[in-house]
Amino acid sequence: MAEVDSRFLLRVALHTAEQGMFVFPLWPRTKVPALHGADQCSGLGVCAHGHQGWEARATRDPELIRRWWRNWPLNIGVAAGRSGLHVLDLDSAHDAMPPREWAGARDGWDVLARVAGRAGQPFPGDTYAVRTPSGGFHLYFGAPPLVELRNTVARLGWRVDSRGSGGYVVAAGSLRPQGRYDLVADRPIAALPAWLVPLLLPPPFLEPPVDQAPTGWYQAGAVSEVRKNAYLQTIHDKVAATPSGERHHVLIRAAYTLGRLVGGGDLDAQEARDCLHAAASRWRGRLSRKDIRTIEDGLRAGAERGRSLAS
Ligand SMILES: [Zn+2]
């Protein structure tokens, strides 16, 4: 049995890596990482220059995967952040009653449906999805490009967690005593819907749009980096989602807006340019010379009327 499982799980690990995910071994029939932890580090081999945890060691290299999975029926961990993923983890109720705020919800799926309803958005279910042995679901999404999303626990609501940077999920095909992780929707992994991004950021970063932001919300230091990136993400998503008839207009306004922040010293010109180039190249799969010119014109005009987010 173990031998059959071992061959099967090796194939699953290779297949998962072929799909672009970084994998690492979990002990058989568990979700516990099988690579040594920092407390048991010998400081040898891969750890010769400091301990390497599962996130750093997760791989897509078929040779390494064959070596890891050769003799053991190991489960497969997917390093979410390393793989560019943010995975929504919709748990079952586990026989518990929801708190009053979520009264009537049966599980995390119901709660996410309500969160989407309140936001006036469709249920974000059109993506790669795995059912867990305990009856929950993992919805896989591409993480947003400009802001780092870490793991969340119940931030979206009761029984809704998520796994991003610093987190992992058990891959489809893995075995637990209760059953298997089943791929129930083999769809392409969708980008995380833009409306979910601010809801997944830590609460202090739920800021009003910059034009209505109260004085002083943007402060120097490490925190401002996260806020700045969230702001760039918002601009990026707005520009990228613009329908074809309005693109020139929206792009010049976005460039002008970011140009003012460059002029005020809150933003590096290259960061502004990178954000707008990334957004506009989503329209036709590449940047046109006209878009590049529009961006430069907007940035230059904005920089002449510099403003700071802090004032
Ligand atoms: Zn180590």
Side-chain angles (χ1 to χ4, degrees), residues 200-284:
L200 289 163
L201 287 167
F205 308 135
L206 288 175
E207 302 291 357
V210 69
D211 288 324
Q212 298 129 47
T215 301
W217 71 268
Y218 184 91
Q219 285 149 4
V223 168
S224 71
E225 194 65 16
V226 177
R227 292 179 175 175
K228 184 183 71 188
N229 287 340
Y231 184 67
L232 285 170
Q233 181 77 51
T234 306
I235 297 265
H236 169 277
D237 292 346
K238 193 176 160 71
V239 171
T242 305
S244 55
E246 298 159 41
R247 283 173 179 167
H248 179 74
H249 180 66
V250 167
L251 186 59
I252 191 121
R253 279 195 49 194
Y256 179 78
T257 303
L258 292 185
R260 290 195 70 187
L261 300 181
V262 172
D266 272 337
L267 196 62
D268 182 74
Q270 198 54 45
E271 284 179 300
R273 200 171 279 123
D274 289 346
C275 166
L276 296 166
H277 284 189
S281 60
R282 296 273 291 274
W283 292 339
R284 288 173 293 263

Side-chain angles (χ1 to χ4, degrees), residues 7 12 19 28 43 51 59 62 79 83 86 99 103 147 162 181 191-192 194 221 227 230 241 250 276 283-284 311:
R7 281 207 303 270
V12 172
Q19 291 174 292
H51 175 65
T59 187
S83 304
H86 200 77
V147 59
S162 70
Y181 287 79
L192 186 70
R227 292 179 175 175
V250 167
L276 296 166
W283 292 339
R284 288 173 293 263
S311 60

Side-chain angles (χ1 to χ4, degrees), residues 125-200:
D126 191 13
T127 192
Y128 182 98
V130 174
R131 186 170 53 224
T132 73
S134 60
F137 291 89
H138 291 162
L139 303 180
Y140 286 52
F141 294 98
L146 296 171
V147 59
E148 183 188 44
L149 294 181
R150 299 191 64 81
N151 301 334
T152 67
V153 177
R155 189 170 292 151
L156 285 179
W158 181 66
R159 294 291 190 249
V160 182
D161 298 340
S162 70
R163 302 281 173 261
S165 294
Y168 66 92
V169 286
V170 183
S174 298
L175 290 162
R176 296 289 297 283
Q178 308 92 317
R180 194 182 291 285
Y181 287 79
D182 271 327
L183 180 59
V184 289
D186 191 7
R187 304 188 188 103
I189 295 171
L192 186 70
W195 65 270
L196 273 169
V197 175
L199 302 180
L200 289 163

Side-chain angles (χ1 to χ4, degrees), residues 36-44 46-48 50-53 57:
H36 72 266
D39 51 341
Q40 285 171 2
C41 189
S42 64
L44 301 172
V46 291
C47 299
H51 175 65
Q52 301 286 302
R57 293 179 67 186

